[in-house]
Every structure is written in structure tokens, then in C-alpha cells.
Amino acid sequence: MLIKKTYVLLSFLSMSLLAFCFCKPMLDTDEEREKLIVKNTRNTLTYLHYKPATVDDKFSENVFNKYLEYIDPSKRFLLQSDYDLFKKDYHNLDDYYKSENLGFYNSTVDTIYKRIAEAEKYSMDALSKPFDFNQKENFNIDYKTSKFAKDKTEAKDLWRKYLKYNVMLEIISMQDELKGQKKDTLDNSSSIKPVKDPLADEKKKITKDTPFAEVEKMAREEVKDLISDYFRRIKQTKRENYFSIYMNSFTEQYDPHTTYFSPTSKEDFEFEMSGQMEGIGAKIQDKRGYATIAELIVGGPAWKSNKLEVGDKIIKVAQGKNGEAKNIVGMILSDAIRLIKGKKGTEVVLTIQKKDGSQQTISLIREVIESEEVFARSSVITDEKGDKYGIIYLPEFYTPMGKEGGRYPSDDIKKEIDILKKENIKGLVFDVRNNGGGSLEEVVKISGLFINQGPIVQVRRSDGMLKIHEDKDNSIAYDGPLVVMVNELSASASEIFAAAMQDYGRAVIVGSPQTFGKGTVQTILPLDRQSGSDELGAIKLTIQKFYRVNGGSTQLKGVQSDIALVDQFTYEDISEASRPEALNWDQIKPLVIAKWPSAFDLAKIKANSKTRLANNAHLALMNESFKFIKSMEDVKEIPLNLEDYKTYRKTREDKIKKFEALDKYKNNFKFTMNQNDLATTKTDTVLKAKRNNWFKGMQKDFYLNEAVNVLRDIK
């Protein structure tokens, strides 16, 4: 997501027009507020979006399909009669959008709440008695082609099968654990069980003498606990959450990156972009209605107090010693967290229930908390010959979003480069895999760290006005061999960086055949334009497209890797081009640039890589495994007869046994912390563990192995 400051937009329209279009009357009801949000969203997108959508019957069809997909993606709640009733407005949603008519929205939300309550009853009924695993029947897992239940009887049976499937998986899991085998994780797409729960209770275990009836009962009780908690949480979903879904069904018809943010979701977005928030420094999970400490962030107030520990339940929250202690048991987790968070320097008083049942009152002063996972990090790579290389991983092009004292990736990366240069590295890998983008200003500055000076990216408005973003600083932070690693999830700012390095001949791009293909720029505007507050939420909208210095757009086509390697995303439809709402590709006039003077022989580098990989058994096996995973999408049904399922499972496991060799792969590199991290991790054991996990992942990274091989070939 590329973010420009809001003031750039203010020159588009006269202030009088803005005042006329975005007025805020006195609002007496939630519905009046929602209608104003619809109106201001529509006006904002009509006047300011790069390419406003044509609001017609086709628009209405797309909104309808998207909205129904969002509110019931597995077609597990709504009935066919509900769908048929809603379908009467198939060509009316464009008119409702223009007139701020919320009748359709209100009807769908009332219905979904009703169907959730019914589904909970179906579930409790189904789990009140044993399942017959000798019965021959199947469970449909193909939600894309399945239909809604024709009536309540069929809906009840669908829930019975869904729960029976989950109980069967639990039985298999317990039996595997008894045998010392790995748990079945290949069919968990329809499982209600969380993948990883640091707060999970110790489960009962079976023995070889446990009767099957008892095993089934234990599995059923476990699933009942999970599904009860699931319904408790889903019933807490506020209407405003459904309203955000409804609004985004409209905004996404303009393009995939135009989004309505409620006040709370905007706050969450800002945290994701900045990596900073103000609070107590604890990660909190909902455990059966209790806000429970799942992790303490080293250096944060909660950690420094030495009074909180993982598993503690927060019972009450007060704003200071004189504030009212509010009971948060059973409260929606996001609401509870917002009571716990607050401005830096303010006091929060927590009533805690410890694991032994005792209660304590703990006072904490909130601080700015940083999420290390967001920020740039580096490591030294030592190969089998003792040669050293550096790697910098940038998860996103973060920005402090106007917050004082925030961090900028360009500053952090400059520091990481300086640290790595002291290690006398022979080359640098800059890893932007899975990096979805971020700040436009920051990617320009970061690109400038690797070239003398010159244009980095061209940005054009819909009226043709063009702006060239340049690196005007002729200093270079690093001038050695450079490889940029990308994959299909490298998007937006990541693509600007990779494209600039490629166009200047500065780096070799290694990774998936092409990157994500997002070539658009967004900004965020408050919907209450009169006061500028977030009371009505905000709109993130596309205002510009960006182009490489060679004139081409990365929209849809992305950046083509110099060394193209298949990966897990190669066979998935996850790119920008897979979205029908995406803006089109085009190109503009190229710029004249001064290429990197130390040119490398790219043709020879490609040839060397091709030779290395031509008969590489590991790469071939990876490719085969990716194709097999894709073929699993063709599985439409799962047997619910226990013996039939075990046969199905064994057949599948026999097919994938050959892929177990992939887990054994390790490159021959040694990964070590840079000097700054070594000093920090002497006291920060959590960071030390995270760095070691990162090193373990890189040790098994075949693509990184080839990236270092390419570095060796750059002369």
C-alpha cells in the first residue's frame, strides 16, 4: 500500500466543493451515521478516485456477489430462501448506494444473526449424542461450487456433517498421538481447531485400552468446547463490523485497494504500518471470554513490572487509580484491548486473576511499544569457504504515520548496511519476499542507498499530471554486489524497489517468475472532512498509478525476475491480475538514466544459474510438491466413515511420502547475528529466540542458497 500525505489531494478540488459534499449534520441514530458514511464514501470516490467506477446494474451484481461471499463464505449459515429473497435486489444495490438506502443491508444482517443462533442450536443438538462412524457418507469441502441449504432440515444436516468431520479429525489426532505419529494437518481447512494456541489447556490422552466409545466421547467434548467458544465469539460480532463488510463490497468495485476503514480498523491499520502502538506491551488472546496474556513484549511495562505472566486473566480495567474498574469478562476482545491501550504516560490499573485463582491489582504506565516483526533486520551469512555475505530482510516499507519518534526503514537499513560492512561482506541480499509495500517516500530513499542519484519512480494522476520521484543525494550506502529477492507477494513499494534496481542494472532480481503486480498509489482521507476526525472512519483510495523509469507499469505484470524460480505461489491465483476489479496495465515515456557503472554480465549470470538448476533434484521435487498441493483443490468430498477416511488418508500420505525429503534440506551456510543484535540479545531472550527461528528458516531456504550463488557470479 503506497501512502501519500493527505494534503496532496487538497489541490484537486476547491475547498467550497469539499465543504458542500462532505458536510456533517447532527446525527441522532446509528442509521443516520451509516447513511452519511455511504454518502461521503460515494462522493469521495466519485471526485477523487483515479478511475471512478460506473455505478450501474453490473456494479450492483458485483457488489451483491462480493457481499454474500464475505458474510457467508462457506455457505454454512444462510438458506437458499434467504439467498433468493436477497437476489431480488441483485440490480438495485447501485440505486441504494446512490440514495443511501440501507434496507438491503439491514435485512441481511438481521438474517445472518438469526441463522447464527439457529446454527448454534443445530451444533449443540448434533454434539449431544455419539456420531456413527460406520455410516457411509461424505462431507463436501468445495464451498466454491456448493449451494446454500434448501431448508432448515438440510442446514441442520450440513452442520452435523461438519461437526462429525471435526470429531473424526480429533479422534485421528488422539490415535496418532498414542502411536507417536504426526497429527493429520492436511485436511485442516475445514477444521475449527486453531493451528497454534499458546494458551491451550492440557488435553486428556487415550491409552491402547480406551474403548472407542470413550474416545469418540472425548473427541466430541473437545469439539463441543471449541464450537461453543466459536459461537460465543461470532455472536459478539457488532453490526458495525458487518457494515464495514457491506461498505467494502462497494469500495472494492473501484479497485482492490480502495477500502473503507471504521475508526477501529483505521487504528489497527496505522499500527500495522508504523509498527508502534501505545500500551502495556502484552499480546492478549480471548480464552473462553477472558482477555488472557499470551506473550509479554520484552522491555514493555507489563514485562518490566515483573508481576504479569503468560496465562494471567485480566478481569477488570481502570483508567488510573481513581478510574472506575470496568469488568471485561465476556467483552469482545478488541473492545477490551482498547480499554487496556492508551496514551503514553497514562496509567492503567488491571485486576488480574492468576493461574492459582488468586487476584491482584497491578498499576502500569503505558509506553510506546514497538513490534520488532515489522522492522528491518540483518544477518551475516558465512559460506563453506568462510566468505561472508549479508542479508537484510524488510517485512514492509513502514512509516510512523505522523507519530512522533517513529521509525523509518531508510534509517534502519542504512544502520544495518553500516553494521554489515564492518563484517567485510562480499555481497548483499536484500529480501522483500512477502513484503506488501508501504511508504512511497521511503522506497525512494531506500533505493537511493544503492545508486548515485537519479529518478526512482514516475507517478501519474488520472488527469495526466506526472511527478518524478528522484534520489537527489549522490552518496551511496552500499556499492557492492546486490541481489534482490522477491516472490508473488512482493507488492507495490517492493516492486518499485526491485524495478529500480533492475532498470539501473544495479542488482539481479531472484525469485518467483513475477511479483504481485500492484502499480497503484493510495492515500487515506477522513470521511468527516469538516472536522478531520475519525468519527465516521476513513477511506483508503487509489489516486495515482506509478511507472518504472523505463516507462512500464508494474500493474498486473509485476516485475519479471532475472533468475525465475517456481515457488508455492506459482500455481495460485493470488496476484493483482486475478482480481477483475484491478486497473489496467499501460506504459508511459521512459526516462533517460545513468546506468550503474559497474555493470555485470547478466546473460552469463543467467546461464550459470540455469546450469546449476537444470538438473537440481531438490528444485524439481519442490515443483512437483507445489503441483500436488494445487491438485488437492480438485478434492471435493471427504469420507465420514472412519475406515474409509483412514484409507483415503493413507493413499494421500503414500503420494506425499516422497516430499518428506524436502523437510531435510539444509544449505551449507552459517547465520550469525550482527553486532547490535548480539548486544541486545544478552538481555532480550525473546528477541534471541526470534532471531534463532529466523536463522533456522534461512537454513532451509533453497532460494536463498541460489541468491548467494548469484552474488558470487556478480563481478
Side-chain angles (χ1 to χ4, degrees):
M1 304 154 208
L2 296 173
I3 297 180
K4 292 284 289 175
K5 294 183 177 63
T6 298
Y7 64 73
V8 174
L9 290 178
L10 297 183
S11 62
F12 282 24
L13 298 171
S14 70
M15 291 307 294
S16 61
L17 177 57
L18 291 176
F20 173 79
C21 290
F22 305 98
C23 55
K24 178 190 170 187
M26 295 295 289
L27 304 176
D28 296 324
T29 67
D30 286 342
E31 182 154 330
E32 288 179 350
R33 176 179 172 275
E34 290 167 349
K35 286 183 176 181
L36 184 59
I37 291 172
V38 174
K39 178 182 178 180
N40 286 4
T41 296
R42 186 188 68 242
N43 287 340
T44 301
L45 296 180
T46 299
Y47 292 112
L48 300 180
H49 193 273
Y50 182 87
K51 188 180 180 182
T54 301
V55 181
D56 56 11
D57 282 356
K58 182 61 179 175
F59 177 91
S60 180
E61 292 176 9
N62 293 335
V63 170
F64 180 92
N65 294 332
K66 180 69 69 177
Y67 180 57
L68 267 291
E69 179 186 340
Y70 278 155
I71 64 172
D72 191 8
S74 60
K75 299 176 183 172
R76 199 173 285 140
F77 293 100
L78 296 176
L79 303 178
Q80 186 63 41
S81 57
D82 300 327
Y83 179 82
D84 292 340
L85 178 63
F86 300 153
K87 191 72 178 286
K88 292 179 180 179
D89 284 320
Y90 197 48
H91 292 135
N92 294 333
L93 297 184
D94 54 325
D95 300 317
Y96 296 161
Y97 183 52
K98 294 172 183 175
S99 61
E100 298 100 48
N101 184 327
L102 296 176
F104 172 82
Y105 159 71
N106 289 326
S107 175
T108 57
V109 175
D110 290 343
T111 301
I112 198 72
Y113 276 131
K114 180 181 178 182
R115 299 300 179 223
I116 288 171
E118 291 170 351
E120 182 178 26
K121 187 177 185 306
Y122 300 153
S123 299
M124 295 305 105
D125 288 347
L127 291 165
S128 66
K129 50 188 176 294
F131 289 108
D132 180 5
F133 287 103
N134 292 318
Q135 182 182 356
K136 296 277 189 178
E137 59 179 344
N138 295 323
F139 173 55
N140 186 347
I141 60 172
D142 182 21
Y143 302 127
K144 291 181 180 179
T145 60
S146 63
K147 298 182 182 299
F148 293 103
K150 64 182 180 181
D151 53 31
K152 292 184 180 181
T153 300
E154 188 172 293
K156 186 173 183 178
D157 196 56
L158 286 173
W159 275 96
R160 179 190 64 81
K161 288 183 177 181
Y162 170 66
L163 295 165
K164 182 178 180 180
Y165 172 68
N166 277 276
V167 172
M168 183 174 67
L169 290 184
E170 188 64 28
I171 290 171
I172 296 286
S173 175
M174 289 191 292
Q175 292 176 341
D176 284 350
E177 194 170 347
L178 178 63
K179 297 174 185 176
Q181 296 176 358
K182 291 182 180 180
K183 295 182 180 180
D184 187 12
T185 58
L186 291 170
D187 278 336
N188 61 8
S189 59
S190 295
S191 174
I192 58 175
K193 198 162 190 176
V195 176
K196 183 179 181 182
D197 183 3
L199 302 176
D201 296 321
E202 187 68 29
K203 290 197 325 178
K204 295 179 183 178
K205 295 184 179 181
I206 62 173
T207 69
K208 61 183 177 62
D209 298 321
T210 306
F212 180 78
E214 183 63 23
V215 175
E216 189 274 344
K217 183 180 178 182
M218 291 167 62
R220 194 160 25 92
E221 288 175 349
E222 173 69 15
V223 171
K224 186 175 182 178
D225 283 346
L226 291 168
I227 200 71
S228 296
D229 195 53
Y230 166 75
F231 278 111
R232 177 187 63 79
R233 286 182 280 108
I234 197 172
K235 286 191 299 184
Q236 287 182 324
T237 304
K238 295 180 177 179
R239 288 185 74 93
E240 69 181 51
N241 296 107
Y242 285 115
F243 183 70
S244 292
I245 292 172
Y246 180 69
M247 287 303 303
N248 282 314
S249 301
F250 286 94
T251 62
E252 288 184 22
Q253 303 313 313
Y254 291 77
D255 80 290
H257 309 288
T258 292
T259 307
Y260 165 72
F261 288 139
S262 68
T264 53
S265 58
K266 180 175 181 288
E267 184 181 325
D268 293 339
F269 176 79
E270 288 178 346
F271 170 60
E272 290 173 10
M273 287 300 302
S274 67
Q276 294 182 321
M277 66 178 294
E278 295 170 316
I280 66 170
K283 293 185 178 179
I284 300 171
Q285 284 186 3
D286 182 332
K287 187 178 181 184
R288 291 175 170 79
Y290 288 91
T292 308
I293 304 292
E295 180 184 338
L296 298 177
I297 298 174
V298 174
W303 179 82
K304 287 190 290 188
S305 74
N306 205 29
K307 296 177 180 178
L308 284 166
E309 58 187 350
V310 172
D312 286 350
K313 299 173 180 175
I314 304 175
I315 308 298
K316 297 179 182 179
V317 181
Q319 307 305 318
K321 291 186 174 64
N322 298 322
E324 176 190 356
K326 291 187 177 181
N327 190 319
I328 64 169
V329 177
M331 184 180 288
I332 296 173
L333 183 63
S334 58
D335 290 348
I337 289 174
R338 280 178 170 78
L339 289 176
I340 298 167
K341 292 194 301 186
K343 292 292 183 183
K344 173 185 175 182
T346 58
E347 182 184 36
V348 62
V349 180
L350 307 177
T351 302
I352 302 296
Q353 180 177 306
K354 307 296 285 186
K355 292 179 182 177
D356 62 5
S358 63
Q359 292 191 6
Q360 295 179 15
T361 300
I362 299 172
S363 173
L364 300 171
I365 303 300
R366 299 175 176 109
E367 297 177 9
V368 173
I369 308 299
E370 292 187 338
S371 174
E372 281 297 327
E373 289 89 347
V374 171
F375 302 127
R377 56 182 182 264
S378 72
S379 169
V380 177
I381 304 172
T382 306
D383 68 11
E384 58 273 19
K385 298 177 181 178
D387 291 335
K388 291 183 178 181
Y389 302 89
I391 181 170
I392 293 177
Y393 174 56
L394 183 64
E396 63 182 65
F397 290 82
Y398 44 91
T399 174
M401 302 290 289
K403 293 179 182 177
E404 223 174 292
R407 288 173 62 171
Y408 294 89
S410 54
D411 295 336
D412 291 346
I413 288 168
K414 175 66 166 61
K415 293 174 185 175
E416 300 292 344
I417 289 172
D418 290 342
I419 293 168
L420 291 172
K421 282 165 69 174
K422 291 177 182 177
E423 299 281 350
N424 297 315
I425 59 172
K426 291 193 169 186
L428 176 65
V429 174
F430 198 101
D431 188 355
V432 290
R433 288 177 294 178
N434 305 315
N435 182 326
S439 167
L440 176 58
E441 288 83 359
E442 283 301 298
V443 70
V444 172
K445 290 180 181 178
I446 291 168
S447 299
L449 297 174
F450 299 98
I451 64 170
N452 187 1
Q453 60 180 9
I456 303 299
V457 63
Q458 307 180 75
V459 176
R460 189 176 69 172
R461 294 190 337 198
S462 58
D463 61 4
M465 184 174 288
L466 188 70
K467 180 177 180 181
I468 299 171
H469 292 260
E470 298 183 67
D471 167 41
K472 297 180 179 178
D473 182 0
N474 60 9
S475 63
I476 301 173
Y478 180 73
D479 61 1
L482 180 65
V483 161
V484 177
M485 293 191 72
V486 298
N487 65 6
E488 280 90 345
L489 295 182
S490 301
S492 204
S494 295
E495 295 174 289
I496 290 176
F497 176 72
M501 296 302 99
Q502 190 175 60
D503 290 345
Y504 274 90
R506 177 64 186 90
V508 179
I509 312 302
V510 175
S512 59
Q514 74 161 66
T515 54
F516 184 81
K518 178 181 179 290
T520 55
V521 183
Q522 284 73 45
T523 192
I524 298 178
L525 297 173
L527 286 177
D528 182 359
R529 297 291 293 279
Q530 212 169 29
S531 68
S533 78
D534 289 333
E535 184 182 345
L536 298 178
I539 189 79
K540 175 169 69 72
L541 71 155
T542 297
I543 57 167
Q544 297 164 324
K545 290 176 75 173
F546 64 77
Y547 300 84
R548 304 169 64 142
V549 293
N550 71 7
S553 172
T554 61
Q555 181 65 11
L556 305 184
K557 294 186 177 182
V559 176
Q560 311 294 311
S561 292
D562 298 313
I563 308 297
L565 303 167
V566 295
D567 64 18
Q568 59 183 323
F569 303 120
T570 301
Y571 301 100
E572 301 293 332
D573 294 327
I574 61 171
S575 69
E576 181 91 351
S578 68
R579 297 291 297 270
E581 312 90 3
L583 299 183
N584 65 314
W585 178 89
D586 60 347
Q587 58 185 337
I588 60 175
K589 186 178 178 181
L591 300 174
V592 177
I593 60 172
K595 290 271 193 173
W596 184 245
S598 304
F600 44 78
D601 188 341
L602 183 58
K604 185 176 181 180
I605 290 170
K606 287 183 175 182
N608 289 347
S609 179
K610 186 176 181 180
T611 300
R612 276 192 302 269
L613 300 175
N615 299 307
N616 188 286
H618 186 79
L619 181 61
L621 189 60
M622 281 199 300
N623 192 26
E624 188 178 347
S625 73
F626 301 146
K627 290 179 179 178
F628 176 77
I629 292 170
K630 180 66 175 176
S631 73
M632 292 293 290
E633 294 179 8
D634 296 331
V635 177
K636 308 300 182 185
E637 291 186 327
I638 299 290
L640 292 179
N641 175 284
L642 186 59
E643 294 307 314
D644 287 349
Y645 178 79
K646 288 181 177 179
T647 301
Y648 158 78
R649 182 190 186 210
K650 186 177 186 309
T651 301
R652 185 192 56 205
E653 287 178 342
D654 289 344
K655 289 180 180 179
I656 66 173
K657 196 173 289 291
K658 67 170 77 172
F659 303 132
E660 291 177 0
L662 295 175
D663 293 331
K664 300 175 183 177
Y665 172 82
K666 286 187 178 181
N667 53 46
N668 294 318
F669 302 143
K670 178 183 177 183
F671 300 92
T672 53
M673 294 185 200
N674 63 50
Q675 294 303 314
N676 277 22
D677 283 351
L678 281 172
T680 304
T681 53
K682 286 180 180 179
T683 55
D684 191 338
T685 56
V686 174
L687 180 64
K688 183 177 181 179
K690 288 179 178 179
R691 288 292 186 266
N692 285 333
N693 283 336
W694 182 39
F695 296 159
K696 288 178 183 177
M698 289 194 291
Q699 192 84 65
K700 300 172 73 65
D701 192 341
F702 176 84
Y703 305 97
L704 179 59
N705 187 77
E706 182 59 17
V708 174
N709 283 333
V710 171
L711 275 180
R712 293 172 177 143
D713 288 341
I714 299 176
K715 306 298 182 187

